[in-house]
Amino acid sequence: MTTIKQYFGLAVIMLSTASVFGQSNQSTSQSSDLDNAEVIIEKISNYDLPMVVGREYEKIKRIQKNIQPTPQQYDLELVEVEIQDSIPKQLPAVLDGHEEKTFYDKYIRLGYGNFVTPFVEAGINNNTNPNLDFGFHLLHKSSQEGAVYRKLSAGSLNTIDGFGKYYSDYGTSSVSLNFNRVGTHFYGFEGDETLVDQDSIKQIVSNINFKIGHEMPSYVTGQDFSIKGDLFFDYSYDHYNASEFEVGIDVNGDYELDDNSKIIGEFIAAVNKYSNKTTSDIDMNQNRNWFKFGAAYETRIDELYIKAGAKIAYSGDTSSNDKNFYIYPDVFVEYTIEEEALAAFLEIKGDLDLVNYKSVTTMNPWVSNNLSLLHENRLIDIKLGVDAIVIDNIGIRGSLGYAISQNMGFLVNDPTDVSRFDMLYATENNTGVFNINVSGSWSKREWAVTASTDWNMYSLNDSIIQDAYHRPLAVNTIGVKYKYLSKWTFGATIYNEIGIKALTVNETTLQQETLSLPVIFDMNLSAQYAINDNFGAFALVNNLFSQNYQKYYRYNVKGFQLLAGVSYRF
């Protein structure tokens, strides 16, 4: 039975949220001061409030030391690792989500592939101490030859990371450290490759990330609230003069009002500085400090789950197009039509999607020295959908959505050097995006299948940006995994992108031309064989049909790729 306390809490939050919808969606009428802009298509700094959908809020009893929370572990399933020009990734984490994984303390994998590609991976996980968990992981993969011009398109990937967790009567303390280094070359150049020196087109993008924090769940506080705090540090730099420094704090928590409702909140803020030197030898320095604060009320009333709240964000960017306060709604409503079979949901939210050097170069390392950065102001994002379980072991989610954004960015080739990319931002008017997404999964005994299709149709009203450059119209994926006689594991992934367009600009006449890139169709295969409890063998095939496609204009991916090796666990 719903209490008066629940209804009162819901009414207060809904009234405060209603004011958010009065926020003007006015566009930025000023023309951009930036000749070259950039936009991140995949934002990794998108902080949403934690949401719990469709579960009872039971208070957790104090956990005995011999029954620790599940520790972080490095996935021991073989994961296909490819450098920046590889499109599909194997999906073992998704496909294996329903299985209980075997835990090993130490492991190493060694492999070799065409394009002169050595592969080394090693990891250590340790949770023998009931109060302490820690782990280390390292990975090296390099190709001495690439898609075109042999050594001129060589690439490498190196990562080293570790974590530690300490459990005490005062909660869980954690620390993590990661180093990532991507080596590549600007091989999308024009002209005679015999006149190009390999070192002159080298690009290396490195990142160091450190985080330390502490968490106190309700069973530790002995009260109705939980709290978690982190301090984080992030530093990225390239082979030339680009660098980005960020240090910040992230605090979040929740307060349980009763067994079915709670209030959640999060505050995250960072000091950020981006520096570069343009091709005209001009120093570029941007202070890009920001913060976000959000709160929401969650409750379950019979078959209805409601989350209602709001978020405030501030961007203190040096650019006048990206220095402001913003207010966004944060609403999610789900109604269970048939228990464990059918539910419908409505989501209304917005956010300041952080665009930074790390996220842009993670997506595309071939960026220009003229790269400028603007955060994307996602004014409103509405999504309506259903979750269903049909027939036997088949789960489906489908949704329709529409979003309106300011400062949406698009990657374009630099007219003065087509091998490098700048970002153009739609600062004149808002950009609309209509989205259709359908995903599903099926599993039965040895079989597991996943599939998804994601369509984005853009509505642009900008004098310079006529199309959604390097943003595909649709991305389609099918993944299949099969286990045979407990020794063999086979996998296959089909990946498809359509509707990718690129912009070319004549350096002399400034005449623009929009190009349609060929359809991407890729198929990957994998096989693993467990020789015994310790030894194993594996083989991976990328781009089975050796398709010569481009995700980014002028950058062909490698053709048929084969990598094989052995593994040892101890």
PDB file of all heavy atoms in Angstrom, residues 477-510:
ATOM      1  N   THR A 477      24.648  -5.498 -36.002  1.00  0.00           N
ATOM      2  CA  THR A 477      25.577  -6.501 -35.495  1.00  0.00           C
ATOM      3  C   THR A 477      24.848  -7.794 -35.172  1.00  0.00           C
ATOM      4  O   THR A 477      23.739  -7.762 -34.619  1.00  0.00           O
ATOM      5  CB  THR A 477      26.278  -6.001 -34.215  1.00  0.00           C
ATOM      6  OG1 THR A 477      26.905  -4.746 -34.473  1.00  0.00           O
ATOM      7  CG2 THR A 477      27.332  -6.988 -33.757  1.00  0.00           C
ATOM      8  N   ILE A 478      25.479  -8.910 -35.517  1.00  0.00           N
ATOM      9  CA  ILE A 478      24.988 -10.241 -35.125  1.00  0.00           C
ATOM     10  C   ILE A 478      26.173 -11.010 -34.536  1.00  0.00           C
ATOM     11  O   ILE A 478      27.243 -11.068 -35.151  1.00  0.00           O
ATOM     12  CB  ILE A 478      24.404 -11.018 -36.312  1.00  0.00           C
ATOM     13  CG1 ILE A 478      23.204 -10.281 -36.909  1.00  0.00           C
ATOM     14  CG2 ILE A 478      23.986 -12.435 -35.882  1.00  0.00           C
ATOM     15  CD1 ILE A 478      22.654 -10.942 -38.165  1.00  0.00           C
ATOM     16  N   GLY A 479      25.994 -11.574 -33.362  1.00  0.00           N
ATOM     17  CA  GLY A 479      27.039 -12.372 -32.738  1.00  0.00           C
ATOM     18  C   GLY A 479      26.530 -13.754 -32.386  1.00  0.00           C
ATOM     19  O   GLY A 479      25.409 -13.906 -31.884  1.00  0.00           O
ATOM     20  N   VAL A 480      27.333 -14.778 -32.657  1.00  0.00           N
ATOM     21  CA  VAL A 480      26.956 -16.165 -32.377  1.00  0.00           C
ATOM     22  C   VAL A 480      28.102 -16.839 -31.640  1.00  0.00           C
ATOM     23  O   VAL A 480      29.275 -16.661 -32.001  1.00  0.00           O
ATOM     24  CB  VAL A 480      26.643 -16.953 -33.666  1.00  0.00           C
ATOM     25  CG1 VAL A 480      26.262 -18.393 -33.334  1.00  0.00           C
ATOM     26  CG2 VAL A 480      25.540 -16.271 -34.453  1.00  0.00           C
ATOM     27  N   LYS A 481      27.770 -17.616 -30.617  1.00  0.00           N
ATOM     28  CA  LYS A 481      28.779 -18.378 -29.898  1.00  0.00           C
ATOM     29  C   LYS A 481      28.261 -19.794 -29.651  1.00  0.00           C
ATOM     30  O   LYS A 481      27.090 -19.985 -29.311  1.00  0.00           O
ATOM     31  CB  LYS A 481      29.122 -17.713 -28.567  1.00  0.00           C
ATOM     32  CG  LYS A 481      30.324 -18.341 -27.880  1.00  0.00           C
ATOM     33  CD  LYS A 481      30.771 -17.494 -26.704  1.00  0.00           C
ATOM     34  CE  LYS A 481      32.047 -18.060 -26.096  1.00  0.00           C
ATOM     35  NZ  LYS A 481      32.520 -17.259 -24.957  1.00  0.00           N
ATOM     36  N   TYR A 482      29.160 -20.767 -29.825  1.00  0.00           N
ATOM     37  CA  TYR A 482      28.778 -22.173 -29.663  1.00  0.00           C
ATOM     38  C   TYR A 482      29.883 -22.932 -28.937  1.00  0.00           C
ATOM     39  O   TYR A 482      31.061 -22.803 -29.283  1.00  0.00           O
ATOM     40  CB  TYR A 482      28.536 -22.812 -31.038  1.00  0.00           C
ATOM     41  CG  TYR A 482      28.246 -24.297 -30.976  1.00  0.00           C
ATOM     42  CD1 TYR A 482      27.062 -24.775 -30.425  1.00  0.00           C
ATOM     43  CD2 TYR A 482      29.170 -25.213 -31.466  1.00  0.00           C
ATOM     44  CE1 TYR A 482      26.807 -26.135 -30.366  1.00  0.00           C
ATOM     45  CE2 TYR A 482      28.916 -26.577 -31.411  1.00  0.00           C
ATOM     46  CZ  TYR A 482      27.731 -27.041 -30.860  1.00  0.00           C
ATOM     47  OH  TYR A 482      27.475 -28.385 -30.795  1.00  0.00           O
ATOM     48  N   LYS A 483      29.508 -23.704 -27.938  1.00  0.00           N
ATOM     49  CA  LYS A 483      30.453 -24.538 -27.197  1.00  0.00           C
ATOM     50  C   LYS A 483      30.205 -26.000 -27.550  1.00  0.00           C
ATOM     51  O   LYS A 483      29.065 -26.474 -27.524  1.00  0.00           O
ATOM     52  CB  LYS A 483      30.306 -24.320 -25.691  1.00  0.00           C
ATOM     53  CG  LYS A 483      30.810 -22.961 -25.237  1.00  0.00           C
ATOM     54  CD  LYS A 483      31.012 -22.909 -23.737  1.00  0.00           C
ATOM     55  CE  LYS A 483      31.722 -21.625 -23.340  1.00  0.00           C
ATOM     56  NZ  LYS A 483      32.012 -21.578 -21.880  1.00  0.00           N
ATOM     57  N   TYR A 484      31.296 -26.689 -27.833  1.00  0.00           N
ATOM     58  CA  TYR A 484      31.198 -28.075 -28.300  1.00  0.00           C
ATOM     59  C   TYR A 484      32.041 -28.983 -27.413  1.00  0.00           C
ATOM     60  O   TYR A 484      33.262 -28.800 -27.288  1.00  0.00           O
ATOM     61  CB  TYR A 484      31.661 -28.161 -29.758  1.00  0.00           C
ATOM     62  CG  TYR A 484      31.633 -29.557 -30.342  1.00  0.00           C
ATOM     63  CD1 TYR A 484      30.436 -30.209 -30.561  1.00  0.00           C
ATOM     64  CD2 TYR A 484      32.823 -30.198 -30.656  1.00  0.00           C
ATOM     65  CE1 TYR A 484      30.409 -31.491 -31.101  1.00  0.00           C
ATOM     66  CE2 TYR A 484      32.815 -31.480 -31.189  1.00  0.00           C
ATOM     67  CZ  TYR A 484      31.605 -32.125 -31.411  1.00  0.00           C
ATOM     68  OH  TYR A 484      31.588 -33.397 -31.927  1.00  0.00           O
ATOM     69  N   LEU A 485      31.394 -29.947 -26.772  1.00  0.00           N
ATOM     70  CA  LEU A 485      32.056 -30.989 -25.989  1.00  0.00           C
ATOM     71  C   LEU A 485      32.978 -30.415 -24.906  1.00  0.00           C
ATOM     72  O   LEU A 485      33.999 -31.013 -24.573  1.00  0.00           O
ATOM     73  CB  LEU A 485      32.863 -31.914 -26.905  1.00  0.00           C
ATOM     74  CG  LEU A 485      32.055 -32.717 -27.932  1.00  0.00           C
ATOM     75  CD1 LEU A 485      32.986 -33.558 -28.789  1.00  0.00           C
ATOM     76  CD2 LEU A 485      31.022 -33.594 -27.235  1.00  0.00           C
ATOM     77  N   SER A 486      32.631 -29.290 -24.366  1.00  0.00           N
ATOM     78  CA  SER A 486      33.335 -28.635 -23.256  1.00  0.00           C
ATOM     79  C   SER A 486      34.779 -28.240 -23.575  1.00  0.00           C
ATOM     80  O   SER A 486      35.431 -27.587 -22.775  1.00  0.00           O
ATOM     81  CB  SER A 486      33.322 -29.518 -22.001  1.00  0.00           C
ATOM     82  OG  SER A 486      34.224 -30.611 -22.117  1.00  0.00           O
ATOM     83  N   LYS A 487      35.289 -28.672 -24.724  1.00  0.00           N
ATOM     84  CA  LYS A 487      36.670 -28.351 -25.104  1.00  0.00           C
ATOM     85  C   LYS A 487      36.748 -27.210 -26.112  1.00  0.00           C
ATOM     86  O   LYS A 487      37.690 -26.423 -26.099  1.00  0.00           O
ATOM     87  CB  LYS A 487      37.346 -29.600 -25.696  1.00  0.00           C
ATOM     88  CG  LYS A 487      37.564 -30.739 -24.708  1.00  0.00           C
ATOM     89  CD  LYS A 487      38.718 -30.434 -23.769  1.00  0.00           C
ATOM     90  CE  LYS A 487      39.072 -31.622 -22.914  1.00  0.00           C
ATOM     91  NZ  LYS A 487      40.198 -31.354 -21.994  1.00  0.00           N
ATOM     92  N   TRP A 488      35.767 -27.151 -26.994  1.00  0.00           N
ATOM     93  CA  TRP A 488      35.797 -26.192 -28.092  1.00  0.00           C
ATOM     94  C   TRP A 488      34.836 -25.032 -27.826  1.00  0.00           C
ATOM     95  O   TRP A 488      33.741 -25.238 -27.317  1.00  0.00           O
ATOM     96  CB  TRP A 488      35.402 -26.856 -29.412  1.00  0.00           C
ATOM     97  CG  TRP A 488      36.458 -27.761 -29.988  1.00  0.00           C
ATOM     98  CD1 TRP A 488      36.555 -29.106 -29.833  1.00  0.00           C
ATOM     99  CD2 TRP A 488      37.556 -27.367 -30.808  1.00  0.00           C
ATOM    100  NE1 TRP A 488      37.647 -29.592 -30.498  1.00  0.00           N
ATOM    101  CE2 TRP A 488      38.287 -28.539 -31.116  1.00  0.00           C
ATOM    102  CE3 TRP A 488      38.001 -26.149 -31.318  1.00  0.00           C
ATOM    103  CZ2 TRP A 488      39.417 -28.530 -31.902  1.00  0.00           C
ATOM    104  CZ3 TRP A 488      39.129 -26.124 -32.098  1.00  0.00           C
ATOM    105  CH2 TRP A 488      39.830 -27.303 -32.392  1.00  0.00           C
ATOM    106  N   THR A 489      35.234 -23.847 -28.223  1.00  0.00           N
ATOM    107  CA  THR A 489      34.358 -22.679 -28.218  1.00  0.00           C
ATOM    108  C   THR A 489      34.540 -21.953 -29.542  1.00  0.00           C
ATOM    109  O   THR A 489      35.652 -21.578 -29.905  1.00  0.00           O
ATOM    110  CB  THR A 489      34.688 -21.722 -27.065  1.00  0.00           C
ATOM    111  OG1 THR A 489      34.574 -22.424 -25.825  1.00  0.00           O
ATOM    112  CG2 THR A 489      33.725 -20.543 -27.064  1.00  0.00           C
ATOM    113  N   PHE A 490      33.431 -21.792 -30.272  1.00  0.00           N
ATOM    114  CA  PHE A 490      33.463 -21.118 -31.572  1.00  0.00           C
ATOM    115  C   PHE A 490      32.643 -19.831 -31.491  1.00  0.00           C
ATOM    116  O   PHE A 490      31.612 -19.770 -30.807  1.00  0.00           O
ATOM    117  CB  PHE A 490      32.890 -22.015 -32.672  1.00  0.00           C
ATOM    118  CG  PHE A 490      33.638 -23.306 -32.856  1.00  0.00           C
ATOM    119  CD1 PHE A 490      33.184 -24.479 -32.266  1.00  0.00           C
ATOM    120  CD2 PHE A 490      34.797 -23.356 -33.612  1.00  0.00           C
ATOM    121  CE1 PHE A 490      33.868 -25.672 -32.424  1.00  0.00           C
ATOM    122  CE2 PHE A 490      35.495 -24.534 -33.771  1.00  0.00           C
ATOM    123  CZ  PHE A 490      35.035 -25.699 -33.177  1.00  0.00           C
ATOM    124  N   GLY A 491      33.102 -18.817 -32.197  1.00  0.00           N
ATOM    125  CA  GLY A 491      32.378 -17.556 -32.227  1.00  0.00           C
ATOM    126  C   GLY A 491      32.383 -16.937 -33.604  1.00  0.00           C
ATOM    127  O   GLY A 491      33.290 -17.179 -34.410  1.00  0.00           O
ATOM    128  N   ALA A 492      31.361 -16.150 -33.890  1.00  0.00           N
ATOM    129  CA  ALA A 492      31.273 -15.430 -35.162  1.00  0.00           C
ATOM    130  C   ALA A 492      30.559 -14.102 -34.926  1.00  0.00           C
ATOM    131  O   ALA A 492      29.606 -14.025 -34.147  1.00  0.00           O
ATOM    132  CB  ALA A 492      30.526 -16.247 -36.207  1.00  0.00           C
ATOM    133  N   THR A 493      31.051 -13.060 -35.575  1.00  0.00           N
ATOM    134  CA  THR A 493      30.438 -11.745 -35.482  1.00  0.00           C
ATOM    135  C   THR A 493      30.309 -11.150 -36.877  1.00  0.00           C
ATOM    136  O   THR A 493      31.281 -11.119 -37.630  1.00  0.00           O
ATOM    137  CB  THR A 493      31.275 -10.790 -34.612  1.00  0.00           C
ATOM    138  OG1 THR A 493      31.455 -11.335 -33.318  1.00  0.00           O
ATOM    139  CG2 THR A 493      30.592  -9.441 -34.492  1.00  0.00           C
ATOM    140  N   ILE A 494      29.116 -10.708 -37.193  1.00  0.00           N
ATOM    141  CA  ILE A 494      28.867  -9.998 -38.458  1.00  0.00           C
ATOM    142  C   ILE A 494      28.599  -8.542 -38.113  1.00  0.00           C
ATOM    143  O   ILE A 494      27.786  -8.245 -37.236  1.00  0.00           O
ATOM    144  CB  ILE A 494      27.682 -10.596 -39.219  1.00  0.00           C
ATOM    145  CG1 ILE A 494      27.990 -12.040 -39.618  1.00  0.00           C
ATOM    146  CG2 ILE A 494      27.354  -9.764 -40.457  1.00  0.00           C
ATOM    147  CD1 ILE A 494      26.807 -12.752 -40.267  1.00  0.00           C
ATOM    148  N   TYR A 495      29.299  -7.653 -38.788  1.00  0.00           N
ATOM    149  CA  TYR A 495      29.211  -6.231 -38.486  1.00  0.00           C
ATOM    150  C   TYR A 495      28.933  -5.462 -39.773  1.00  0.00           C
ATOM    151  O   TYR A 495      29.540  -5.720 -40.806  1.00  0.00           O
ATOM    152  CB  TYR A 495      30.517  -5.743 -37.863  1.00  0.00           C
ATOM    153  CG  TYR A 495      30.473  -4.335 -37.343  1.00  0.00           C
ATOM    154  CD1 TYR A 495      30.076  -4.067 -36.038  1.00  0.00           C
ATOM    155  CD2 TYR A 495      30.838  -3.265 -38.155  1.00  0.00           C
ATOM    156  CE1 TYR A 495      30.047  -2.777 -35.556  1.00  0.00           C
ATOM    157  CE2 TYR A 495      30.812  -1.967 -37.680  1.00  0.00           C
ATOM    158  CZ  TYR A 495      30.420  -1.720 -36.379  1.00  0.00           C
ATOM    159  OH  TYR A 495      30.388  -0.445 -35.914  1.00  0.00           O
ATOM    160  N   ASN A 496      28.012  -4.500 -39.687  1.00  0.00           N
ATOM    161  CA  ASN A 496      27.612  -3.753 -40.876  1.00  0.00           C
ATOM    162  C   ASN A 496      27.339  -2.290 -40.510  1.00  0.00           C
ATOM    163  O   ASN A 496      26.706  -2.009 -39.491  1.00  0.00           O
ATOM    164  CB  ASN A 496      26.363  -4.398 -41.493  1.00  0.00           C
ATOM    165  CG  ASN A 496      25.680  -3.498 -42.516  1.00  0.00           C
ATOM    166  OD1 ASN A 496      24.599  -3.004 -42.269  1.00  0.00           O
ATOM    167  ND2 ASN A 496      26.317  -3.279 -43.652  1.00  0.00           N
ATOM    168  N   GLU A 497      27.851  -1.377 -41.325  1.00  0.00           N
ATOM    169  CA  GLU A 497      27.526   0.042 -41.205  1.00  0.00           C
ATOM    170  C   GLU A 497      27.143   0.570 -42.576  1.00  0.00           C
ATOM    171  O   GLU A 497      27.789   0.236 -43.575  1.00  0.00           O
ATOM    172  CB  GLU A 497      28.718   0.850 -40.663  1.00  0.00           C
ATOM    173  CG  GLU A 497      28.982   0.680 -39.196  1.00  0.00           C
ATOM    174  CD  GLU A 497      29.956   1.722 -38.664  1.00  0.00           C
ATOM    175  OE1 GLU A 497      30.098   2.790 -39.311  1.00  0.00           O
ATOM    176  OE2 GLU A 497      30.566   1.473 -37.607  1.00  0.00           O
ATOM    177  N   ILE A 498      26.104   1.378 -42.616  1.00  0.00           N
ATOM    178  CA  ILE A 498      25.676   1.973 -43.885  1.00  0.00           C
ATOM    179  C   ILE A 498      25.473   3.479 -43.691  1.00  0.00           C
ATOM    180  O   ILE A 498      25.291   3.960 -42.574  1.00  0.00           O
ATOM    181  CB  ILE A 498      24.370   1.343 -44.416  1.00  0.00           C
ATOM    182  CG1 ILE A 498      23.207   1.580 -43.437  1.00  0.00           C
ATOM    183  CG2 ILE A 498      24.543  -0.140 -44.646  1.00  0.00           C
ATOM    184  CD1 ILE A 498      21.869   1.103 -43.978  1.00  0.00           C
ATOM    185  N   GLY A 499      25.532   4.188 -44.794  1.00  0.00           N
ATOM    186  CA  GLY A 499      25.215   5.616 -44.780  1.00  0.00           C
ATOM    187  C   GLY A 499      26.291   6.507 -44.222  1.00  0.00           C
ATOM    188  O   GLY A 499      26.001   7.591 -43.710  1.00  0.00           O
ATOM    189  N   ILE A 500      27.579   6.115 -44.336  1.00  0.00           N
ATOM    190  CA  ILE A 500      28.661   6.979 -43.861  1.00  0.00           C
ATOM    191  C   ILE A 500      29.020   7.980 -44.957  1.00  0.00           C
ATOM    192  O   ILE A 500      29.248   7.593 -46.106  1.00  0.00           O
ATOM    193  CB  ILE A 500      29.905   6.159 -43.475  1.00  0.00           C
ATOM    194  CG1 ILE A 500      29.560   5.121 -42.404  1.00  0.00           C
ATOM    195  CG2 ILE A 500      31.016   7.075 -42.970  1.00  0.00           C
ATOM    196  CD1 ILE A 500      30.720   4.237 -42.035  1.00  0.00           C
ATOM    197  N   LYS A 501      29.097   9.238 -44.581  1.00  0.00           N
ATOM    198  CA  LYS A 501      29.441  10.288 -45.539  1.00  0.00           C
ATOM    199  C   LYS A 501      30.650  11.077 -45.053  1.00  0.00           C
ATOM    200  O   LYS A 501      30.884  11.202 -43.856  1.00  0.00           O
ATOM    201  CB  LYS A 501      28.247  11.225 -45.747  1.00  0.00           C
ATOM    202  CG  LYS A 501      27.050  10.528 -46.400  1.00  0.00           C
ATOM    203  CD  LYS A 501      25.927  11.495 -46.678  1.00  0.00           C
ATOM    204  CE  LYS A 501      24.764  10.778 -47.367  1.00  0.00           C
ATOM    205  NZ  LYS A 501      23.649  11.711 -47.682  1.00  0.00           N
ATOM    206  N   ALA A 502      31.409  11.600 -46.002  1.00  0.00           N
ATOM    207  CA  ALA A 502      32.605  12.392 -45.691  1.00  0.00           C
ATOM    208  C   ALA A 502      32.540  13.705 -46.461  1.00  0.00           C
ATOM    209  O   ALA A 502      31.887  13.805 -47.506  1.00  0.00           O
ATOM    210  CB  ALA A 502      33.863  11.617 -46.059  1.00  0.00           C
ATOM    211  N   LEU A 503      33.241  14.707 -45.936  1.00  0.00           N
ATOM    212  CA  LEU A 503      33.282  16.028 -46.567  1.00  0.00           C
ATOM    213  C   LEU A 503      34.686  16.290 -47.082  1.00  0.00           C
ATOM    214  O   LEU A 503      35.666  16.109 -46.371  1.00  0.00           O
ATOM    215  CB  LEU A 503      32.901  17.106 -45.547  1.00  0.00           C
ATOM    216  CG  LEU A 503      33.035  18.555 -46.032  1.00  0.00           C
ATOM    217  CD1 LEU A 503      31.993  18.863 -47.102  1.00  0.00           C
ATOM    218  CD2 LEU A 503      32.901  19.531 -44.850  1.00  0.00           C
ATOM    219  N   THR A 504      34.767  16.703 -48.346  1.00  0.00           N
ATOM    220  CA  THR A 504      36.038  17.148 -48.907  1.00  0.00           C
ATOM    221  C   THR A 504      35.913  18.630 -49.258  1.00  0.00           C
ATOM    222  O   THR A 504      34.868  19.080 -49.730  1.00  0.00           O
ATOM    223  CB  THR A 504      36.428  16.355 -50.170  1.00  0.00           C
ATOM    224  OG1 THR A 504      35.441  16.574 -51.195  1.00  0.00           O
ATOM    225  CG2 THR A 504      36.520  14.874 -49.848  1.00  0.00           C
ATOM    226  N   VAL A 505      36.990  19.378 -49.014  1.00  0.00           N
ATOM    227  CA  VAL A 505      37.009  20.814 -49.281  1.00  0.00           C
ATOM    228  C   VAL A 505      38.249  21.130 -50.097  1.00  0.00           C
ATOM    229  O   VAL A 505      39.370  20.796 -49.694  1.00  0.00           O
ATOM    230  CB  VAL A 505      37.001  21.634 -47.976  1.00  0.00           C
ATOM    231  CG1 VAL A 505      37.008  23.131 -48.299  1.00  0.00           C
ATOM    232  CG2 VAL A 505      35.810  21.275 -47.113  1.00  0.00           C
ATOM    233  N   ASN A 506      38.058  21.770 -51.234  1.00  0.00           N
ATOM    234  CA  ASN A 506      39.184  22.185 -52.062  1.00  0.00           C
ATOM    235  C   ASN A 506      39.937  23.302 -51.358  1.00  0.00           C
ATOM    236  O   ASN A 506      39.362  24.338 -51.009  1.00  0.00           O
ATOM    237  CB  ASN A 506      38.688  22.664 -53.429  1.00  0.00           C
ATOM    238  CG  ASN A 506      39.829  22.964 -54.382  1.00  0.00           C
ATOM    239  OD1 ASN A 506      40.561  23.931 -54.234  1.00  0.00           O
ATOM    240  ND2 ASN A 506      39.970  22.114 -55.400  1.00  0.00           N
ATOM    241  N   GLU A 507      41.225  23.095 -51.140  1.00  0.00           N
ATOM    242  CA  GLU A 507      42.017  24.054 -50.369  1.00  0.00           C
ATOM    243  C   GLU A 507      42.087  25.413 -51.048  1.00  0.00           C
ATOM    244  O   GLU A 507      42.140  26.450 -50.381  1.00  0.00           O
ATOM    245  CB  GLU A 507      43.433  23.506 -50.160  1.00  0.00           C
ATOM    246  CG  GLU A 507      44.310  24.397 -49.304  1.00  0.00           C
ATOM    247  CD  GLU A 507      45.713  23.817 -49.140  1.00  0.00           C
ATOM    248  OE1 GLU A 507      45.990  22.735 -49.705  1.00  0.00           O
ATOM    249  OE2 GLU A 507      46.525  24.457 -48.457  1.00  0.00           O
ATOM    250  N   THR A 508      42.029  25.420 -52.364  1.00  0.00           N
ATOM    251  CA  THR A 508      42.162  26.679 -53.108  1.00  0.00           C
ATOM    252  C   THR A 508      40.823  27.382 -53.286  1.00  0.00           C
ATOM    253  O   THR A 508      40.673  28.559 -52.956  1.00  0.00           O
ATOM    254  CB  THR A 508      42.790  26.422 -54.496  1.00  0.00           C
ATOM    255  OG1 THR A 508      44.047  25.764 -54.324  1.00  0.00           O
ATOM    256  CG2 THR A 508      42.999  27.738 -55.230  1.00  0.00           C
ATOM    257  N   THR A 509      39.826  26.661 -53.809  1.00  0.00           N
ATOM    258  CA  THR A 509      38.526  27.265 -54.109  1.00  0.00           C
ATOM    259  C   THR A 509      37.550  27.182 -52.946  1.00  0.00           C
ATOM    260  O   THR A 509      36.503  27.828 -52.973  1.00  0.00           O
ATOM    261  CB  THR A 509      37.895  26.579 -55.326  1.00  0.00           C
ATOM    262  OG1 THR A 509      37.598  25.204 -55.002  1.00  0.00           O
ATOM    263  CG2 THR A 509      38.847  26.624 -56.517  1.00  0.00           C
ATOM    264  N   LEU A 510      37.850  26.356 -51.946  1.00  0.00           N
ATOM    265  CA  LEU A 510      36.985  26.103 -50.794  1.00  0.00           C
ATOM    266  C   LEU A 510      35.647  25.469 -51.185  1.00  0.00           C
ATOM    267  O   LEU A 510      34.687  25.488 -50.409  1.00  0.00           O
ATOM    268  CB  LEU A 510      36.727  27.403 -50.007  1.00  0.00           C
ATOM    269  CG  LEU A 510      37.982  28.094 -49.421  1.00  0.00           C
ATOM    270  CD1 LEU A 510      37.585  29.334 -48.645  1.00  0.00           C
ATOM    271  CD2 LEU A 510      38.758  27.137 -48.541  1.00  0.00           C
TER     272      LEU A 510
END
